Each structure stands twice: as structure tokens, then as C-alpha cells.
């Protein structure tokens, strides 16, 4: 019997058009269902919305082979740093390698999700290599810059004193800005001089306890007296606007820049609440603090980030020693040159 030749049924696959804006909203909703922190969701949204804006301005749909590559090139070599922050002007072109790598990481995660959901056939961020980062570079306030910021607020009025106390807490604990503005009266123990930062507001979702100095504790007590917060008002936010509403971090960050301008001091470091965190960490180590204790206070998941502060602090100590070394100061430079001859 002659073999029957079966016909193959024709199948048609309808390719769906990729809608970047809709995909972003679906992705954000997925992350909410996964109970990611609001901070993480905010970061995802900011990164993806900025990418979507770039695509729209450059007539890209977000599913082209080179759409991510073009965006990374723009962010690295064309974008003016902080051009979307009117209070933080900068002439620097291109953002840091660390920031670029965060963008690449977030876009890879987004497109991997979109691929699994069959919204796109491939990941345009997959072949984008991470950029080489400069190790152990931080913008650290000098003691003079910190003093200039502390002197700037008008401490005779509530809003000035509030910002002054907030800077004290940042200097004394190195906590993140989001943690600071989320603090409630029940988190602060003035008797034992410590602040309990609950898991719900930390980056690592782990509760931690940070000590505070007597000076900071006294400043907080004075602030509580001014706003009328009692010890049993556990759920009351401690940093408020002049209208009694919660005081948010972005407003405080803008006020810091105003204080820097008001002080008239020539700041070299970036004036930002997060720069206080770097300052605290390096100062803690310079003054003999234990790196493991620093990891616990800052809330790092492991020693990797803390070690960067350790290396930075050591390099600064070597530099300072070179400048103040007794040998360098008493031996003329001309006697340090040449080789030693044995007779």
C-alpha cells in the first residue's frame, strides 16, 4: 500500500504589539502582589518610566533590538546629571557607572518578566554588559561642611529646629532618609537612648536597633515637647510640617540644599541626606568603631558594602598620615632623595 502523505495544518501565530506603558503597569502590579517594599516599587517605577519617556521621545516602542543600548548610551554620555532635579543643578554629563548598572539590572528584570508573560519575544537588555565601577568612591562631607549645615537653620522657629534635629539623627545613626521620616514616637526610647527601626520601613525588611547620643536624645526630647507628643503617643509621626502633617524626605532634601546655599560655604560634596550616611560610616570607623557593629547599625545585609567603607576609611587614614607625618615635616625634601651608599 502506498504511504499516505499527510498534509500539515497551517498554523498562524498572531504577534501581539508590545505596549511598553501597559507592560510597566502590569509589572508594577505584579511586584505589589509579591509584597515588595514601597521603596523598591518606587525605584522600579522611576527607572521604567524614565526609560519609557526616552523611548517615546526617540520614537521607540521598547521592543527593538537596540532600544536599551541606545538608552544606556544616552544615560552614560549625553544626559546632564540631575537635570530632572531643579534643586540640584550640575554641569556633569553622564551618570555614574553604579547608577547605569542599576538601570541595566532593573531593565533586565523587567524584560525577563515580560518575556515569561509572552509580552515580548526577547530581552533587549540581556546582552548589555555592566559598566566597570570605580571602587570605594564616596562623596563625604567634611567636618566644616557638616558644621555649616547645622548652623544654617533658624533654630528659634519650629521648622528650623525640626530640620536641625533631623540632621542630628542622621549624623548619629547613619539611617536612611526613608527610615528617618517614617519614625514614630513609639520607635524612640529616650531612656535607653536608642531608636528601633521596624522591619516595615527598612530596606532589608529586618528590624534593627540603633543607639543615639545624649545630645541627640536631648534634642529629640525638646522636639517632642514642642509638638506635644507624649510618651504614650506611639503611633504619632515625630517629624511634622508646620501644619501638623507628616514631613516627607523630598521636602527635607530640598531644605538641605537651601541651607547649604544660605550658609555660603563652598561645598564640594553633594548636599544630600544620604551623604550624612556616608559621613557617619567613615567617621565611625576613623574613630575606632568595629566594622561588624557598623554593618548592624547601617542595616547592611552582609559585610560587602561595609567593607567598602572600611577600605575607604583606611585609604583616608594613609592620606592623612602622609600629610601630618612628623618625619615628612622635619626632614627636608632634598635629604629624602638619592640612594644610600655604603662605605
Amino acid at each position: 500500500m502506498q504511504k499516505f502523505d499527510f498534509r500539515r495544518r497551517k498554523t498562524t501565530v498572531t504577534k501581539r504589539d508590545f505596549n511598553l506603558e501597559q507592560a510597566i503597569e502590569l509589572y508594577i502590579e505584579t511586584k505589589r502582589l509579591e509584597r515588595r517594599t514601597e521603596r523598591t516599587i518606587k525605584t522600579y517605577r522611576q527607572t521604567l518610566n524614565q526609560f519609557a519617556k526616552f523611548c517615546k521621545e526617540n520614537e521607540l516602542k521598547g521592543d527593538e533590538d537596540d532600544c536599551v543600548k541606545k538608552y544606556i548610551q544616552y544615560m552614560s554620555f549625553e544626559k546632564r546629571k540631575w537635570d530632572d532635579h531643579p534643586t540640584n543643578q550640575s554641569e556633569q554629563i553622564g551618570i555614574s557607572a553604579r547608577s547605569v548598572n542599576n538601570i541595566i539590572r532593573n531593565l533586565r528584570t523587567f524584560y525577563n518578566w515580560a518575556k515569561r508573560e509572552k509580552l515580548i519575544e526577547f530581552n533587549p537588555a540581556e546582552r548589555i554588559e555592566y559598566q566597570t565601577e570605580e571602587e570605594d568612591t564616596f562623596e563625604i562631607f567634611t567636618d566644616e561642611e557638616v558644621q555649616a549645615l547645622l548652623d544654617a537653620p533658624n533654630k528659634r522657629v519650629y521648622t528650623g529646629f525640626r530640620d536641625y534635629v533631623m540632621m542630628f539623627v542622621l549624623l548619629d545613626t547613619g539611617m536612611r532618609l526613608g527610615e528617618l521620616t517614617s519614625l514614630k514616637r513609639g520607635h524612640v526610647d529616650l531612656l535607653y537612648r536608642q531608636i528601633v527601626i521596624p522591619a516595615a520601613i527598612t530596606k532589608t525588611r529586618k528590624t534593627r536597633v540603633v543607639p543615639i547620643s545624649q545630645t541627640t536624645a536631648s534634642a529629640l526630647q525638646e522636639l517632642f515637647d514642642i509638638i506635644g507628643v507624649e510618651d504614650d503617643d506611639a503611633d504619632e509621626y515625630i517629624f511634622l510640617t508646620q501644619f501638623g502633617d507628616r514631613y516627607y524626605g523630598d521636602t527635607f532634601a530640598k531644605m538641605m540644599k537651601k541651607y547649604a546655599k544660605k550658609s555660603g560655604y563652598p561645598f564640594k560634596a553633594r548636599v544630600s541626606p544620604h551623604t550624612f550616611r556616608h559621613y557617619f560610616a567613615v567617621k565611625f570607623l576613623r574613630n575606632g568603631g568595629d566594622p561588624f557593629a557598623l554593618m548592624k547599625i547601617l542595616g547592611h545585609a552582609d559585610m560587602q558594602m561595609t567593607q567598602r567603607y572600611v577600605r575607604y576609611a583606611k585609604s583616608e587614614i594613609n592620606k592623612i598620615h602622609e600629610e601630618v607625618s612628623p618625619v615628612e615635616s622635619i626632614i627636608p625634601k632634598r635629604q629624602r632623595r638619592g640612594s644610600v651608599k655604603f662605605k
Side-chain angles (χ1 to χ4, degrees):
M1 183 181 292
Q2 186 177 359
K3 185 177 180 181
F4 185 74
D5 187 16
F6 289 94
R7 293 183 180 182
R8 292 186 178 181
R9 180 178 293 176
K10 293 182 179 180
T11 58
T12 57
V13 178
T14 303
K15 181 181 178 182
R16 288 190 293 178
D17 289 334
F18 180 67
N19 187 305
L20 181 58
E21 287 78 9
Q22 289 181 7
I24 290 172
E25 291 305 316
L26 287 172
Y27 178 70
I28 295 298
E29 187 59 33
T30 300
K31 294 304 168 184
R32 282 205 179 95
L33 291 173
E34 293 174 359
R35 293 190 177 274
R36 298 298 177 93
T37 65
E38 285 301 317
R39 177 189 176 91
T40 300
I41 291 174
K42 182 180 179 181
T43 300
Y44 284 145
R45 184 179 289 280
Q46 286 178 340
T47 300
L48 295 173
N49 283 347
Q50 289 172 359
F51 173 61
K53 180 183 177 183
F54 171 84
C55 288
K56 186 175 182 179
E57 291 175 349
N58 290 272
E59 298 182 349
L60 298 169
K61 293 175 60 180
D63 61 351
E64 296 85 355
D65 291 349
D66 59 351
C67 62
V68 174
K69 180 180 179 181
K70 288 180 178 179
Y71 182 59
I72 297 303
Q73 287 175 333
Y74 164 74
M75 297 298 286
S76 301
F77 308 115
E78 299 175 39
K79 184 183 187 299
R80 188 178 299 277
K81 189 177 182 182
W82 309 115
D83 62 354
D84 48 356
H85 294 265
T87 61
N88 199 4
Q89 304 279 327
S90 174
E91 296 299 319
Q92 181 178 333
I93 301 299
I95 63 176
S96 68
R98 186 180 302 278
S99 297
V100 168
N101 288 341
N102 286 335
I103 292 172
I104 295 172
R105 191 175 297 109
N106 287 334
L107 288 176
R108 279 186 182 178
T109 304
F110 166 69
Y111 276 113
N112 280 334
W113 167 85
K115 187 177 177 182
R116 287 196 305 270
E117 294 294 317
K118 301 189 184 323
L119 299 177
I120 195 170
E121 294 182 355
F122 65 98
N123 184 344
E126 191 173 24
R127 296 183 180 179
I128 305 297
E129 298 292 337
Y130 289 117
Q131 296 183 357
T132 302
E133 299 180 17
E134 293 184 13
E135 287 293 331
D136 310 326
T137 56
F138 303 101
E139 291 191 65
I140 306 293
F141 285 135
T142 63
D143 292 345
E144 293 75 17
E145 288 173 335
V146 169
Q147 191 62 58
L149 286 172
L150 289 173
D151 290 342
N154 181 359
K155 291 174 276 295
R156 292 174 295 179
V157 300
Y158 163 68
T159 53
F161 183 71
R162 174 205 59 204
D163 292 344
Y164 174 74
V165 175
M166 291 176 75
M167 284 190 270
F168 258 29
V169 176
L170 289 175
L171 283 169
D172 220 6
T173 67
M175 70 173 62
R176 299 178 179 90
L177 178 59
E179 296 168 345
L180 177 72
T181 56
S182 298
L183 290 178
K184 296 181 179 180
R185 181 61 187 88
H187 301 150
V188 182
D189 188 333
L190 294 177
L191 179 62
Y192 291 99
R193 298 211 311 267
Q194 62 186 23
I195 297 176
V196 179
I197 309 176
I201 65 175
T202 64
K203 184 177 181 180
T204 58
R205 305 298 286 269
K206 293 181 180 179
T207 299
R208 72 180 192 275
V209 180
V210 296
I212 56 175
S213 65
Q214 182 60 59
T215 301
T216 299
S218 299
L220 283 168
Q221 181 63 72
E222 188 174 349
L223 180 69
F224 296 161
D225 293 340
I226 292 172
I227 63 178
V229 173
E230 303 294 339
D231 292 351
D232 55 355
D233 295 328
D235 292 329
E236 294 293 328
Y237 288 106
I238 63 175
F239 298 116
L240 308 172
T241 68
Q242 63 268 42
F243 304 107
D245 300 320
R246 182 182 173 186
Y247 188 44
Y248 286 97
D250 56 347
T251 306
F252 175 62
K254 291 176 183 177
M255 288 304 301
M256 279 192 60
K257 298 183 190 307
K258 289 184 179 180
Y259 292 140
K261 186 176 181 180
K262 177 185 175 183
S263 74
Y265 193 86
F267 283 80
K268 293 183 178 179
R270 178 190 171 202
V271 179
S272 161
H274 202 73
T275 311
F276 276 121
R277 183 171 169 87
H278 297 325
Y279 177 85
F280 165 80
V282 174
K283 197 80 170 179
F284 182 91
L285 293 169
R286 284 178 183 169
N287 291 339
D290 177 65
F292 186 75
L294 179 63
M295 182 190 79
K296 294 295 185 182
I297 293 172
L298 293 179
H300 290 156
D302 53 49
M303 284 293 292
Q304 183 177 358
M305 181 61 189
T306 312
Q307 284 295 340
R308 294 181 62 225
Y309 286 123
V310 172
R311 290 191 294 269
Y312 182 91
K314 284 182 178 179
S315 67
E316 286 293 292
I317 289 172
N318 290 340
K319 181 180 177 181
I320 293 171
H321 179 268
E322 184 71 20
E323 294 173 352
V324 302
S325 167
V327 171
E328 294 295 320
S329 64
I330 65 175
I331 302 299
K333 289 184 179 180
R334 58 186 175 82
Q335 292 186 22
R336 301 179 209 157
R337 296 172 182 170
S339 58
V340 177
K341 294 182 179 180
F342 292 91
K343 295 183 179 179

